[in-house]
Amino acid sequence: MDAIQVHGVSKSYGSQRVLDGIDLTVPAGTVFGLLGPNGAGKTTLVRILATLVRPDAGRASVMRHDVVSEAFEVRRKISLTGQYAAVDELQTGRENLVMVGRLCRLGRRAAGQRAVELLERFDLAEAGRKLVKTYSGGMRRRLDLAMSLVTAPPVIFLDEPTTGLDPRSRQQMWSFVRSLAAGGSTVFLTTQYLEEADQLADRIMLIDHGVAVADGTAASLKVRVGGERVELEFASAAALALAVADLDVPASGERSVTVATTGTAAEVRELLQRMDKVGATVDKVAIHRPTLDDVFFALTGGNPR
């Protein structure tokens, strides 16, 4: 079953085309990563799927409910965690969670029980009775995510959930996201960290100027910008000259060349033996694999955001 379906969605603000015919599907129980430069249209698409903005054209559904004609049903199936933690600093962590539970029409006892469960799950049990204004940035972010899960929605939108967090807090958030997907939730993630999408997303879409420029797994997108490369650094300029002549490739550095490779040990060994035969002494060897950064810059030419 597809948790999210988007067909030909477009949106403009005045003369500015923000989204231009976006198509995507997100299977239930997976993590979907949406990447793109500043102004690419990521947040607009999330706001459309969360029923906060109406599309100008096309259609979209969440859990088989249309985001325009069945907006109320969609809102009952989702949670949205924005870029900045939406917590009440003058309440305790537990009070924040109980408040959300009561707003979602849970009884007093059920809301309290759910608050205890979430505080334990997000490693906030000891801090649960402290005022949120005393929390660190990572703690606030975890509480914010916990608040969005009070009613255990099947679809969760996370808009740059780890922005501004230290590496340890970011790793904790990654663990929580993985656990959500493992528990059957569908996670729609926007992020400015390419490594984050690489680590978490089952599928990734890159958009640029409102247009989808790539869609697939991280591995398939990396293949699009080329395979692995082996870099050979030579002991001298003379050795470099011999290698360039034998391999018929240009120098890639002051004393190095880069050659396409499958990355197998046998192929690298054969290449080194070839260099030995022509007298080109190799000083260092490095294997370079394409990264999601390579994909991003090759397809958008921009900065991730």
Side-chain angles (χ1 to χ4, degrees):
M1 173 183 171
D2 291 327
I4 300 173
Q5 294 184 330
V6 177
H7 302 287
V9 164
S10 298
K11 181 67 180 178
S12 298
Y13 291 106
S15 61
Q16 182 180 7
R17 190 81 154 177
V18 181
L19 294 173
D20 192 0
I22 297 293
D23 295 305
L24 64 87
T25 58
V26 181
T30 63
V31 180
F32 182 88
L34 186 65
L35 300 177
N38 269 334
K42 303 186 301 299
T43 297
T44 298
L45 181 56
V46 168
R47 290 173 66 82
I48 287 173
L49 293 173
T51 76
L52 300 176
V53 172
R54 294 171 67 101
D56 295 334
R59 64 187 189 280
S61 64
V62 177
M63 300 302 290
R64 299 183 178 177
H65 295 293
D66 186 272
V67 298
V68 175
S69 62
E70 300 175 284
F72 179 75
E73 287 79 2
V74 169
R75 291 170 191 154
R76 296 180 63 183
K77 300 290 186 180
I78 69 171
S79 71
L80 171 61
T81 300
Q83 184 174 348
Y84 303 101
V87 295
D88 186 342
E89 294 186 342
L90 300 181
Q91 293 194 91
T92 66
R94 184 181 184 281
E95 288 169 343
N96 270 272
L97 290 166
V98 170
M99 176 185 68
V100 172
R102 298 291 284 153
L103 290 172
C104 292
R105 299 185 178 180
L106 294 181
R108 188 178 300 277
R109 178 176 296 180
Q113 183 176 349
R114 184 61 174 157
V116 171
E117 293 172 356
L118 289 169
L119 289 170
E120 288 283 353
R121 180 176 181 181
F122 286 90
D123 195 23
L124 291 169
E126 292 186 8
R129 296 190 179 278
K130 296 179 181 178
L131 294 179
V132 173
K133 67 180 181 180
T134 67
Y135 284 17
S136 67
M139 293 168 68
R140 291 180 186 219
R141 205 63 177 128
R142 297 204 305 275
L143 177 62
D144 192 32
L145 182 55
M147 289 167 63
S148 71
L149 300 177
V150 166
T151 58
V155 178
I156 301 161
F157 293 99
L158 301 179
D159 189 9
E160 301 190 8
T162 63
T163 297
L165 296 186
D166 60 77
R168 181 177 179 181
S169 296
R170 184 173 299 129
Q171 289 284 344
Q172 286 181 316
M173 287 296 293
W174 288 2
S175 177
F176 295 141
V177 171
R178 292 189 185 101
S179 69
L180 290 173
S185 297
T186 303
V187 181
F188 192 105
L189 170 78
T190 73
T191 178
Q192 61 176 303
Y193 300 113
L194 299 173
E195 180 189 7
E196 187 161 89
D198 207 354
Q199 288 282 333
L200 298 177
D202 298 294
R203 215 172 94 244
I204 297 167
M205 174 178 280
L206 272 70
I207 61 174
D208 193 20
H209 294 94
V211 177
V213 296
D215 183 6
T217 64
S220 68
L221 294 179
K222 292 172 186 177
V223 169
R224 290 185 58 171
V225 298
E228 298 182 356
R229 307 178 302 280
V230 58
E231 182 180 15
L232 304 177
E233 185 175 321
F234 297 92
S236 65
L240 173 64
L242 291 171
V244 167
D246 183 70
L247 297 171
D248 192 26
V249 295
S252 58
E254 187 176 341
R255 288 188 304 168
S256 62
V257 297
T258 301
V259 183
T261 178
T262 61
T264 63
E267 187 176 51
V268 174
R269 189 182 306 114
E270 181 182 345
L271 181 60
L272 293 175
Q273 291 172 346
R274 180 174 173 178
M275 293 298 94
D276 283 341
K277 287 181 180 180
V278 299
T281 303
V282 177
D283 195 25
K284 296 180 181 178
V285 179
I287 302 294
H288 297 285
R289 295 177 173 84
T291 66
L292 211 52
D293 296 66
D294 297 325
V295 175
F296 188 92
F297 288 111
L299 298 179
T300 70
N303 294 312
R305 184 68 180 172

